[in-house]
Every structure is written in C-alpha cells, then in structure tokens.
C-alpha cells in the first residue's frame, strides 16, 4: 500500500495528515526489517487511534465481567452458573458474549477445570469442587469491537502443587509482557514465557497460541509461546494481540474431546493453567487493555 501512496497523499491510517508527515517513516522502517528477512505486519494489523479507543471500551466490559465472576465464583457452583453470570453481566453492560455460536460453540464463556487446557464447555452437570483450579475465559463484542482475557481461580483449599502452577503461569505472562516493546519481536516474548515455565519444571502447549484481536475475534498474528528471541513477527505500535500461554504440569501434549470437538485436555491428565491478557504495542512500550 505504501508504494501506491504519494508523499503528499492522505495517509493510509485515516489521520487526514499527508503521508510524508504521518506513516512514511514508519513504513520505511518496517520495509527495512522485511529486507533483512524478518516477518513484518501489514497495515491491517495496525489499529488506528479511533479503533483503539473503541477496543478499549470493549475491554472495559470484559474486565468488569471477569471482576463479577471473581466476586461470585465458589465451591459448589456449576460451570453453567458461571455462564449465566457472564451472559447476565455482559448484557447488562451492553455487550455480546463473543464465544456464543462462534464456529458452533454453544455457550457464552469457556470454563476449563484442572486437566482441561482450554475450551471447556459450561454445563449444569459440572460442579466446582474444593481443590479445583479453573480458567474462566471471557470475550466480548461491544459496538462491533472485540476483547478477550481470562483468569485462573483457585476453588477452596487448593494443593500447593496446583497453586504453584497457577502462580508460575501468571509470572510467565508478566515476564512475557516485559518483552513487548516496539521494534522487538514476538519471539522475545515467547522465549521469556517458555524459559520461565521450563525453569519451574512445566511444559508449554505448542499447538494452541494467542492471536491478534480487536476488529475480529481472532486475527493475525498467531502467537506462539515456544518461540525464540529475535524471531517471529516484528512488533510495531498499533498492534494488539493476546498473551495467553497454556502451561501444563506434565507433558505439553494435548488431545481434543471426540464427543464435543471443543474441550482440550492434557494427554497425561495432569493439571494445566492459563492466564490471558490483551496487549497494545505503543510508541514507547505497551499497554494492557484487558486482563
């Protein structure tokens, strides 16, 4: 797109400024990284200030819904009751649950307990028991803009082994976040996540990763957490993506439930944990939009 623009043409970002005064230098810098053999984002992955503000509004609802879950989650609650809480609060705040009917998914939230890695489907038959760990993954559409984040909850008296897993995965996310800087690489973040998980004796799921988000539920780039520093896509201001490693107490291998074709389990039935945040790359670092 940059090659088609004259320097005095309006910039592709919609700012109304001339290209030479807006994104010409930015595009030239990306082009240089591409010439050096790096994977670079195209303009569709770079959100405008107006889009970012609309995405922030969606994120505020997503955070509020997870806060509401945190206030109410308890031993003896069914995962369907969690789904009801999410549906109720999202609607009350003017949003729409993004998972509902997404590619046939039947519920408004994902609830993944113990050895369930992700995409656990809420049910009135699944009851939270003392000692469980559960990931509640909330995604929201608000005025056409998407947000996505998840949290782990320790139910009742959780074993020290499970509690450590939950805490270490949160630390993985925080260490990965430190590596999100403009003109760095997604692999910098991925290696920080993987190194910390491995140092604690855990493994990181390889087949399932993070994603771009904001204008759609799932956008490019796909985000790995077993990558190497200096590799993967170049990070530039305006990119938004999730950091959401799924870390297993045992093997990294997983399998999909054949009956529902959604629920993903650890192959060895050992516990798994995940935290998810939504991150904007800024001119001087990053901003956490949803958590």
């Amino acid at each position: 797109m940059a090659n088609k623009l004259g320097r005095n043409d309006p910039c592709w970002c919609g700012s109304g400024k001339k290209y030479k005064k807006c994104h010409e230098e930015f595009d030239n810098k990306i082009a240089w990284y591409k010439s050096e053999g790096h994977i670079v984002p195209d303009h569709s992955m770079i959100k405008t200030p107006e889009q970012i503000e609309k995405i922030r509004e969606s994120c505020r609802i997503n955070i509020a819904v997870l806060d509401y879950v945190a206030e109410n989650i308890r031993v003896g609650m069914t995962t369907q009751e969690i789904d009801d809480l999410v549906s109720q609060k999202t609607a009350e705040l003017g949003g729409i649950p993004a998972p509902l009917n997404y590619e046939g998914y039947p519920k408004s939230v994902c609830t993944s307990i113990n050895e369930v890695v992700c995409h656990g489907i809420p049910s009135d038959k699944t009851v939270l028991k003392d000692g469980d760990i559960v990931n509640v993954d909330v995604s929201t559409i608000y005025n056409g803009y998407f947000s996505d984040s998840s949290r782990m909850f320790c139910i009742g008296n959780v074993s020290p082994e499970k509690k450590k897993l939950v805490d270490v995965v949160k630390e993985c996310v925080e260490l990965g976040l430190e590596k999100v800087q403009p003109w760095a690489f997604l692999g910098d973040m991925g290696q920080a996540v993987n190194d910390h998980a491995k140092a604690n004796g855990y493994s990181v799921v390889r087949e399932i990763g993070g994603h771009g988000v904001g204008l759609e539920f799932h956008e490019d780039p796909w985000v790995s957490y077993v990558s190497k520093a200096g590799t993967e896509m170049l990070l530039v201001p305006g990119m938004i993506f999730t950091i959401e490693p799924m870390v297993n107490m045992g093997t990294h291998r997983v399998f999909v439930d054949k009956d529902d074709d959604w629920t993903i389990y650890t192959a060895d039935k050992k516990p798994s944990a995940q935290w998810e945040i939504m991150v904007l790359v800024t001119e001087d670092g990053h901003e956490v939009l949803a958590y």
Side-chain angles (χ1 to χ4, degrees):
M1 187 184 296
N3 294 334
K4 298 177 182 176
L5 283 178
R7 298 186 70 235
N8 291 313
D9 289 338
C11 186
W12 54 264
C13 74
S15 66
K17 297 178 183 177
K18 291 182 179 180
Y19 180 51
K20 66 183 179 183
K21 296 287 189 182
C22 197
H23 272 91
E24 183 182 33
E25 184 178 342
F26 175 91
D27 282 342
N28 288 340
K29 192 169 184 178
I30 292 175
W32 180 84
Y33 276 96
K34 186 176 182 179
S35 73
E36 293 293 302
H38 294 289
I39 304 167
V40 301
D42 60 34
H43 291 164
S44 69
M45 296 184 211
I46 301 162
K47 274 62 176 181
T48 67
E50 293 76 16
Q51 289 170 337
I52 291 167
E53 187 48 47
K54 294 293 186 182
I55 293 166
R56 281 197 188 100
E57 292 174 0
S58 180
C59 289
R60 283 192 278 270
I61 293 176
N62 215 68
I63 293 166
V65 171
L66 273 166
D67 287 346
Y68 187 60
V69 171
E71 292 166 7
N72 289 279
I73 198 166
R74 66 187 188 281
V75 174
M77 172 180 276
T78 68
T79 51
Q80 180 57 52
E81 288 178 283
I82 297 174
D83 191 79
D84 294 341
L85 289 176
V86 169
S87 296
Q88 171 198 335
K89 195 65 174 179
T90 304
E92 180 185 310
L93 296 172
I96 300 168
L100 187 60
N101 300 320
Y102 176 77
E103 295 185 352
Y105 187 77
K107 298 291 181 175
S108 296
V109 67
C110 296
T111 51
S112 304
I113 303 172
N114 298 329
E115 73 275 13
V116 177
V117 177
C118 63
H119 302 161
I121 301 174
S123 167
D124 56 11
K125 296 181 176 62
T126 304
V127 180
L128 296 181
K129 299 186 292 295
D130 186 66
D132 283 343
I133 57 173
V134 57
N135 178 270
V136 179
D137 191 348
V138 170
S139 309
T140 303
I141 310 169
Y142 182 67
N143 289 337
Y145 292 86
F146 291 76
S147 52
D148 188 11
S149 58
S150 79
R151 301 180 197 170
M152 292 297 301
F153 297 98
C154 293
I155 306 301
N157 299 299
V158 172
S159 70
E161 293 80 10
K162 284 185 179 178
K163 181 66 165 59
K164 180 185 175 185
L165 176 66
V166 169
D167 291 343
V168 167
V169 181
K170 191 171 188 181
E171 292 166 5
C172 285
V173 172
E174 291 165 352
L175 290 167
L177 180 64
E178 290 177 5
K179 299 296 183 180
V180 178
Q181 302 289 334
W183 315 108
F185 297 94
L186 271 175
D188 304 345
M189 180 276 298
Q191 178 155 0
V193 168
N194 197 29
D195 284 354
H196 191 62
K198 288 172 65 178
N200 282 275
Y202 304 139
S203 62
V204 179
V205 175
R206 302 176 181 184
E207 300 92 332
I208 315 161
H211 53 91
V213 60
L215 306 185
E216 301 290 343
F217 194 174
H218 295 96
E219 305 171 3
D220 289 332
W222 187 79
V223 181
S224 170
Y225 307 105
V226 292
S227 46
K228 296 294 184 183
T231 69
E232 304 293 324
M233 186 170 285
L234 178 71
L235 299 176
V236 305
M239 289 178 67
I240 296 176
F241 59 91
T242 62
I243 302 178
E244 51 172 315
M246 300 167 199
V247 179
N248 298 346
M249 193 178 285
T251 179
H252 67 83
R253 293 184 177 86
V254 299
F255 70 92
V256 181
D257 189 303
K258 291 180 180 177
D259 292 328
D260 65 35
D261 205 29
W262 277 105
T263 311
I264 297 178
Y265 297 88
T266 57
D268 56 10
K269 294 300 182 79
K270 291 185 178 179
S272 182
Q274 177 196 26
W275 294 82
E276 178 182 13
I277 62 174
M278 189 169 151
V279 183
L280 166 69
V281 183
T282 63
E283 294 288 346
D284 56 2
H286 56 257
E287 175 187 344
V288 177
L289 298 176
Y291 55 87

